[in-house]
Amino acid sequence: MALPTAVKIVEVGPRDGLQNEKEFVATATKIELINRLSAAGFPNIEAASFVSPKWVPQMADGAEVMAGIERRAGAIYSVLTPNLRGFEGALAARADEIVIFGAASEAFSQKNINCSIAESIERFAPVAQAAKEHGVRIRGSVSCSLGCPYQGEVPVASVVDVVERFAALGCDEIDIADTIGVGTAKRVHEVFEAVTKVFPRERLSGHFHDTYGQALANIYAALEEGIAIFHASVAGLGGCPYAKGATGNVATEDVLYLMNGLGIHTGIDLNQVVAAGDFISNAIGRANVSRAGKALLAKARSEAACS
Ligand code: HMG
Ligand code: MG
């Protein structure tokens, strides 16, 4: 299949990236990060979570973050909502999109949201219905689509099953998430070949973590399957509180460098993203793990020193 000529990059650093930070990141820092990302041109930013602060304390200030950001016209600001209480928070915060998050693995579902896959779908049903009633977009995220930290192998049929259940709830978009970054290109092909039979290809996204260094190869495999929505985290921020050892999402700068090289349109300014990655890495005292980000920062510094 020909590669797409344009892709949507969803920046998930402010949520998926920061949620794993042990030290509380100041609300003002989160807001500045999102504002910088908005200015860089992202069409969609995952900005916050309305989950239990007992489970993910780092995301406790979602309402303040959403109230403080400058929204770029036309951009979608998404928030995670595990239940109706979360949805009410999202609605009050004027989120453009809510994210319900299930898993293709029973064990991970229990660890992440304290219920079985079937129970999670029951819990999401009224959330999805409320979102429809209020005209809020719904995204469904399928964790552990390429492997699980607790059960290991995840059958393709389990991923297809959750995608079908999310589709039945009316999801506008569905993420195939490699939560612990164990997937390889062959498996990516197999999973997308299967899920595109039950949900439209153009509304499926690839959410890859880079634990085993496979994320860019997996993105390329997904591009070959005609997938045109990808999630990425500036400076490679992140990990997963319920998946020990998992590193962050693929770094946004690296994905943009890949897309630019392929001539695939993103509408995002790589240099501004590199600056945002430098900002957040310094602000939270964390190493920037974007290869392209570090290379471009070093290049800019050496050019400045020579001029
Ligand atoms: P629970 O403990 O089973 O349920 O949590 P609960 O109803 O007993 O709630 C526990 C406490 O949280 C109660 O407070 C509730 O009121 C409160 P208490 O009575 O003890 O004082 N509570 C809330 N507070 C604020 N907002 C809410 C909310 N709901 C309950 N919405 C629950 C069940 C689902 C709430 C919990 O397990 C939870 O919040 N989990 C979220 C976990 C999470 O955010 N994980 C990370 C995101 S998933 C991810 O990163 C993967 C993804 O990136 C894709 C990928 O890479 O795979 C999306
Ligand atoms: Mg994730």
Side-chain angles (χ1 to χ4, degrees):
M1 190 176 295
L3 302 188
T5 54
V7 293
K8 174 169 103 166
I9 305 293
V10 182
E11 171 57 53
V12 299
R15 195 288 302 174
D16 203 355
L18 293 183
Q19 75 174 6
N20 209 42
E21 288 301 314
K22 300 276 171 294
E23 293 288 314
F24 191 76
V25 178
T27 305
T29 304
K30 290 171 180 155
I31 290 171
E32 177 162 357
L33 174 63
I34 295 169
N35 287 347
R36 283 171 174 256
L37 295 166
S38 292
F42 285 94
N44 191 164
I45 298 175
E46 200 173 84
S49 290
F50 288 85
V51 301
S52 167
K54 290 192 175 143
W55 285 67
V56 186
Q58 184 63 254
M59 293 284 108
D61 58 351
E64 292 82 359
V65 169
M66 289 296 282
I69 58 175
E70 288 156 27
R71 299 183 193 212
R72 200 169 61 81
I76 294 170
Y77 296 86
S78 315
V79 303
L80 268 63
T81 56
N83 50 22
L84 267 179
R85 170 140 176 222
F87 177 74
E88 281 155 20
L91 198 61
R94 295 189 299 112
D96 304 292
E97 178 179 78
I98 58 142
V99 184
I100 52 179
F101 45 105
S105 138
E106 280 297 346
F108 191 82
S109 182
Q110 290 290 352
K111 296 275 183 191
N112 193 33
I113 48 177
N114 207 18
C115 63
S116 69
I117 296 172
E119 284 163 348
S120 75
I121 302 294
E122 272 173 41
R123 200 186 277 174
F124 296 141
V127 178
Q129 196 187 333
K132 289 277 167 213
E133 281 165 15
H134 288 87
V136 179
R137 277 174 59 90
I138 311 168
R139 172 148 65 79
S141 193
V142 187
S143 289
C144 297
S145 289
L146 299 174
C148 169
Y150 309 105
Q151 92 178 36
E153 185 89 1
V154 173
V156 174
S158 305
V159 184
V160 172
D161 181 53
V162 180
V163 167
E164 283 180 313
R165 292 171 192 237
F166 273 168
L169 292 181
C171 283
D172 296 289
E173 219 165 280
I174 296 181
D175 316 328
I176 300 303
D178 185 9
T179 312
I180 53 169
V182 289
T184 56
K186 182 168 178 283
R187 189 60 158 187
V188 171
H189 279 294
E190 288 164 358
V191 170
F192 277 110
E193 265 171 34
V195 295
T196 48
K197 292 193 172 80
V198 299
F199 195 75
R201 194 180 303 273
E202 59 277 13
R203 296 199 273 128
L204 282 165
S205 74
H207 176 114
F208 298 111
H209 286 250
D210 204 27
T211 317
Y212 285 81
Q214 301 301 301
L216 285 183
N218 290 342
I219 288 176
Y220 197 86
L223 284 169
E224 289 181 322
E225 290 294 327
I227 300 305
I229 309 173
F230 294 100
H231 295 188
S233 181
V234 65
L237 292 175
C240 177
Y242 303 103
K244 293 269 172 291
T247 64
N249 288 87
V250 61
T252 313
E253 299 90 319
D254 298 359
V255 177
L256 291 173
Y257 189 80
L258 172 70
M259 297 302 168
N260 290 351
L262 289 168
I264 295 177
H265 177 78
T266 64
I268 300 160
D269 183 320
L270 173 56
N271 288 329
Q272 287 190 58
V273 180
V274 169
D278 194 37
F279 159 76
I280 191 64
S281 303
N282 290 331
I284 65 176
R286 186 184 192 278
N288 185 337
V289 297
S290 166
R291 305 286 286 270
K294 284 191 290 187
L296 288 166
L297 282 167
K299 186 165 172 267
R301 281 175 193 142
S302 81
E303 281 168 3
C306 291
S307 65

